[in-house]
């Protein structure tokens, strides 16, 4: 049987989603916990990776196991054993051809910027901006990224790793109480893509890049990766969207 | 010259305010930083201690140093060197007979309880309550603690350490969006006193202690320390109040 989980995590103390040597990953912690509770070595398949210190409200993964009769009870047991910074929000049975990564039709990410006073209690959950920014200029420039584009200059992904074309459906930018939130929805985001886009937009907000310069970076046929990558702690994977499960 | 600082800190990663062997304290970090910047070994004197994992928005301390000509610049330098979870909010010159502890006329503490869904991003900043609580019963019982009382059953302080009488001027309890905040103002709080009071009030809210039983614990002439101590991460030293500086 195949199961799909939605998981929320505080990424502060992890080297990211994906299992790696010599560093603790969220995937590793969940696999160990699942394997223990199912009493069987169990691998999980995420919708994609998140970087070190990046958070999630709604990362997803699937796994295969014998039938789990009481899913609520199973979720409760998992959360009892998982560390305090990883919480399974839901678990449901899905069809055998469902795949948390391949079946996803879009993803929604949130990036949070604090343009007010530095707040030590929030230091791992927002990116601090110490300078004044022009939010209108940022909103204006953000429109350039919406649509289908070659994002080769906004990812560190290797050249030979398929192609760089992705579609961003929407970028919604709001400010409330000195907290600026960027919500991105798109059909896929490559490694560091949102952090490069936000980092580049911040340069526009600081008056160091013009809208035309950003346009040139997007339109360029040459690969020349943006030098501006926003910090990881302001980034959250909000939701992975599926058509059917 | 004597200086008074107000300091904000996230206590999550510290063993508390006070210097102790084999554990990192906030006092130690600040003393080391001050000594480095002043280029002279410098001791600081806090308004009182806070426990491991307890936070502060407005802890205070004083220290003696040669005249500091530009206090804004000095504060800036201190914050540059201090770790991200400790922030000096203000520094001012005070008279030589001022003492951060002795000159305090009252202190204000905040205790924060989450009665909504568990939030991993807030786990170090609120105390989680998983069960339904009767807030009216808690408010009713909280009135018993207001005024001048012998708080011997609400502190782990040693018998021979002066006396147990303190005055609580006010306890204000509010709920908003499933976050219950308790604000305590009093002329002094002994070790664990707020955590014992909140822990005891929570038992009332859960229906496990009656208002009369709490009254008996306060009125008792025998020392019989409360068994209910609320967790540290929901506690914040908000302010230390002085008449004159």
């Amino acid at each position: 049987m195949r199961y799909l989980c939605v998981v929320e995590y505080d990424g502060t103390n992890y080297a990211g989603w994906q299992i790696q040597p010599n560093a603790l990953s969220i995937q590793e912690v969940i696999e160990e916990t699942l394997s223990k509770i199912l009493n069987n070595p169990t691998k999980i398949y995420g919708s994609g990776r998140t970087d070190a210190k990046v958070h999630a409200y709604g990362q997803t993964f699937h796994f295969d196991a014998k039938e789990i009769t009481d899913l609520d009870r199973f979720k409760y047991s998992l959360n009892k054993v998982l560390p305090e910074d990883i919480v399974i929000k839901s678990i449901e049975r899905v069809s055998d051809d469902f795949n948390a990564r391949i079946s996803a039709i879009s993803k929604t990410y949130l990036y949070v910027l604090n343009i007010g006073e530095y707040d030590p209690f929030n230091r791992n959950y927002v990116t601090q901006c110490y300078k004044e920014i022009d939010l209108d200029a940022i909103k204006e420039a953000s429109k350039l990224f919406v649509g289908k584009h070659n994002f080769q200059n906004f990812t560190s992904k290797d050249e030979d790793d398929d192609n760089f074309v992705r579609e961003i459906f929407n970028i919604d930018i709001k400010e409330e109480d000195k907290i600026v939130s960027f919500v991105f929805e798109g059909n896929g985001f490559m490694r560091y893509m949102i952090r490069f886009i936000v980092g580049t937009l911040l340069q526009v907000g600081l008056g160091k890049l013009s809208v035309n310069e950003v346009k040139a970076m997007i339109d360029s046929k040459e690969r020349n990766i943006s030098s501006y990558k926003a910090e990881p702690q302001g980034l959250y994977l909000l939701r992975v969207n599926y058509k059917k499960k």
Side-chain angles (χ1 to χ4, degrees), chain A:
Chain A
M1 313 271 174
R2 183 157 289 184
Y3 293 94
L4 171 69
C5 287
V6 176
V7 59
E8 180 175 285
Y9 50 78
D10 174 349
T12 306
N13 298 320
Y14 296 94
W17 171 263
Q18 200 185 34
I19 287 183
Q20 50 194 285
N22 308 319
L24 192 66
S25 66
I26 296 143
Q27 187 188 358
E28 179 184 341
V29 170
I30 297 176
E31 283 190 353
E32 278 179 6
T33 306
L34 262 180
S35 301
K36 195 155 121 186
I37 291 184
L38 291 168
N39 205 15
N40 199 33
T42 305
K43 280 193 62 86
I44 66 173
Y45 300 87
S47 76
R49 307 171 191 179
T50 55
D51 303 326
K53 297 184 192 299
V54 169
H55 314 292
Y57 278 107
Q59 165 72 299
T60 56
F61 63 85
H62 75 260
F63 66 94
D64 293 320
K66 284 188 200 149
E67 189 175 5
I68 301 166
T69 48
D70 187 339
L71 287 173
D72 277 344
R73 199 187 165 82
F74 185 75
K75 185 182 92 167
Y76 178 84
S77 309
L78 267 176
N79 284 330
K80 271 279 221 195
V81 178
L82 282 167
E84 286 187 328
D85 45 12
I86 301 178
V87 179
I88 303 295
K89 301 298 283 183
S90 69
I91 172 166
E92 61 179 311
R93 176 131 179 240
V94 287
S95 64
D96 287 349
D97 61 351
F98 178 90
N99 180 298
R101 184 171 64 81
I102 297 165
S103 306
I105 52 171
S106 71
K107 285 187 179 178
T108 310
Y109 279 92
L110 165 71
Y111 197 94
V112 188
L113 194 69
N114 180 19
I115 57 172
E117 205 181 346
Y118 172 72
D119 174 3
F121 298 104
N122 226 351
R123 71 193 184 284
N124 297 320
Y125 308 109
V126 297
T127 292
Q128 182 66 34
C129 180
Y130 289 99
K131 294 181 178 151
E132 278 215 20
I133 53 165
D134 179 345
L135 210 57
D136 289 332
I138 288 179
K139 285 180 184 172
E140 185 60 32
S142 75
K143 292 175 192 160
L144 298 171
F145 291 97
V146 178
K148 200 180 257 190
H149 297 284
N150 181 319
F151 288 98
Q152 65 176 344
N153 291 332
F154 300 92
T155 177
S156 64
K157 208 178 67 160
D158 290 342
E159 292 294 341
D160 55 353
D161 188 4
D162 62 3
N163 79 70
F164 294 104
V165 176
R166 295 292 184 278
E167 184 172 358
I168 295 184
F169 306 136
N170 193 44
I171 304 178
D172 187 34
I173 304 175
K174 285 206 180 95
E175 193 219 313
E176 206 186 315
D177 296 335
K178 300 280 178 190
I179 296 287
V180 181
S181 58
F182 301 71
V183 176
F184 291 79
E185 197 185 335
N187 67 356
F189 294 91
M190 294 173 289
R191 189 165 204 214
Y192 299 142
M193 183 168 144
I194 290 177
R195 291 169 59 190
F196 275 121
I197 295 175
V198 171
T200 303
L201 288 174
L202 278 181
Q203 293 300 310
V204 175
L206 295 167
K208 295 189 178 164
L209 271 182
S210 70
V211 171
N212 279 339
E213 285 169 305
V214 176
K215 190 167 171 8
M217 290 166 75
I218 299 173
D219 293 344
S220 172
K221 300 274 179 276
E222 304 272 294
R223 188 148 193 218
N224 193 359
I225 302 168
S226 172
S227 322
Y228 313 108
K229 187 168 72 180
E231 292 178 3
Q233 73 273 15
L235 183 59
Y236 298 73
L237 173 51
L238 274 191
R239 259 191 316 280
V240 183
N241 306 301
Y242 298 100
K243 208 187 298 188
K244 62 170 186 81
K245 292 163 193 162

